[in-house]
Amino acid sequence: MTETISATEPAAAGTPTFRHFIAGEWCDSSSGATFESHNPADRRDVVGRFQQGNAADVAMAIRAADTAGPMWRRTPAPRRGEILYAFGALMAQHKERLARAMTREMGKVLTEARGDVQEGIDIAFLMAGEGRRMAGETVPSELPDKWAMSVRQPIGVAGIITPWNFPMAIPCWKMMPALVTGNTVVFKPASDTPHCATLLVELMEEAGFPPGVVNLVTGSGAEVGDAIVGSPDVGVISFTGSSATGKSIAAKAGAKLKRLSLELGGKNGVVVLADADLDLATDGILWSAFGTTGQRCTAASRVIAERSVVDGLLERLERRTRALRLGSGLDPSVDVGPLINEGAVDKVASYTEVGRGEGELVLGGDRAEEADLAHGHFFQPTIFSRVGAMDRIGQEEIFGPVLSVIPVADYGEAMLALNQTRYGLSSSIFTRDVNQAFRAMRDFETGIVYVNAGTTGAETHLPFGGWKETGNGHREAGHVALDTYTEWKSIYVDFSGRLQRAQIDNQPG
Ligand code: NDP
């Protein structure tokens, strides 16, 4: 391993090489290999070279995290919180630089990239406060002269495996609660966004996390991710990504009885009832369907509308979608950026082929390759009408700018269609009828429900996560996020000076 003083020393003219961060040092992979990260809006733009990590690098990072563990867990939680706070403040100070770097590497338009950074800041500040809360319970004992209470304790080393679609927010959502509760971290970011991850870890170093508390290893999921999941020394894994990868991680972690938090796919629906404000519904649907080019786990990919308003809604959606401008997210006049990579374009294209056989194509349906767009991974925003609730494009996660409109007779049919999916992350309803709104809040089988808003826009102080195959019951964000990263310890202190038997000595006879 070669130690260097900076993460960003240029190794070849023009293209900087970035390093792992292990035990407080920026270092090369023992593999000696690197990989490139590209701008998805223009493949000719190489963001940097990154270490192609391997199992030996992961072992070193886990050892560093394990070694730092006792020191970090004994650091008072309010002090840990202060370091989180310093990190959040640094993110705020560097917000514009971080957002621009994110747009370049991941593609989302700059306003959304700023929102992604802001989510990171919000969770850093929220979790910094947990350093002074982190409440357990103190309850009366059933016996005299006895004290009963519970406290949270860290699990140990947390493996953090993240996707590319929220390349700063999601790592922060995971690392902040892990760290404030006293765990140490081995962080493996998506191979499409290693620069975003490196920038975050640079700021974490500057904020004052001690050496070994945060470790970054870049490289493939198959090698780096798998080594983290397989290590007996990693006590908890937090993963966001595809259902297929989530299930394989769950099988491996389950065999070792590891704590595992999974945040997987979605097939989120917007219900539009006949009394809805159609202009407002159109705003919400467009933002949810085509924001981040449809690559959010909360993206709306289904609109379930009462038949009497389908034509009016489709007319509005089509007119507004035709006006969307595609291009580099760094250009302020652009509405929709590229997809993340060529594989994503192929996946979306194959689903639009399926859609042509199932519904009626309203607009879009092809790669966007005019002029400069040909250098990037662009796909036209696409709408299908007359889709059936059980059609493949109405059921499977496409993760791109493809919207299916499903006509229904009434609220009851809409509710059934909304719930007839294996996922359960987010949903929304547009109606002016308060009774219908409350029925939806009761009936929709999703972890998040919006009324008169689209399916995206979660705030960091409420639980985030889904029902059914969207996850495995854990939640991110909010104070419940602490549950993933802590063990409960119940403590009984008997100061009676004699043996007192619970359930026996306090019972008559
Ligand atoms: P993956 O689930 O494959 O990747 C997510 C993360 O897991 C990445 O860091 C990846 O590393 C890592 N990983 C991959 N394989 C393993 C493994 N065997 N063990 C441990 N870690 C692993 O998603 P993709 O990026 O390939 O996207 C494919 C589809 O997944 C999308 O089209 C979308 O449907 C869904 N997805 C959903 C997201 C959500 O927010 N719920 C986010 C991203 C994707 P590496 O990048 O090196 O492969």
Side-chain angles (χ1 to χ4, degrees), residues 200-286:
L200 278 186
V201 173
E202 284 180 351
L203 292 184
M204 294 179 92
E205 181 188 23
E206 190 178 340
F209 287 99
V213 170
V214 179
N215 303 277
L216 169 72
V217 183
T218 54
S220 75
E223 185 146 15
V224 174
D226 192 63
I228 293 172
V229 175
S231 168
D233 299 319
V234 174
V236 49
I237 307 278
S238 182
F239 169 83
T240 298
S242 64
S243 298
T245 303
K247 283 177 184 173
S248 85
I249 289 177
K252 198 158 183 176
K256 291 191 155 60
L257 298 178
K258 275 187 198 200
R259 183 80 56 89
L260 173 65
S261 166
L262 295 173
E263 191 56 56
L264 309 176
K267 192 68 191 175
N268 311 294
V270 176
V271 170
V272 183
L273 296 188
D275 70 336
D277 175 340
L278 290 190
D279 292 321
L280 178 64
T282 303
D283 285 342
I285 292 165
L286 288 175

Side-chain angles (χ1 to χ4, degrees), residues 35 160-166 170 188-193 219-229 239-246 248-249 252 263-266 295-298 340-341 344 347 397-400 423 425 470:
F35 66 98
I160 305 294
I161 302 176
T162 58
W164 40 266
N165 60 339
F166 282 84
I170 291 178
K188 180 250 172 295
S191 294
D192 284 305
T193 51
S220 75
E223 185 146 15
V224 174
D226 192 63
I228 293 172
V229 175
F239 169 83
T240 298
S242 64
S243 298
T245 303
S248 85
I249 289 177
K252 198 158 183 176
E263 191 56 56
L264 309 176
Q295 302 171 107
R296 296 167 173 153
C297 45
T298 54
I340 188 67
N341 55 35
K347 179 178 172 189
E397 186 177 54
I398 301 173
F399 228 60
Y423 297 113
L425 182 52
T470 289

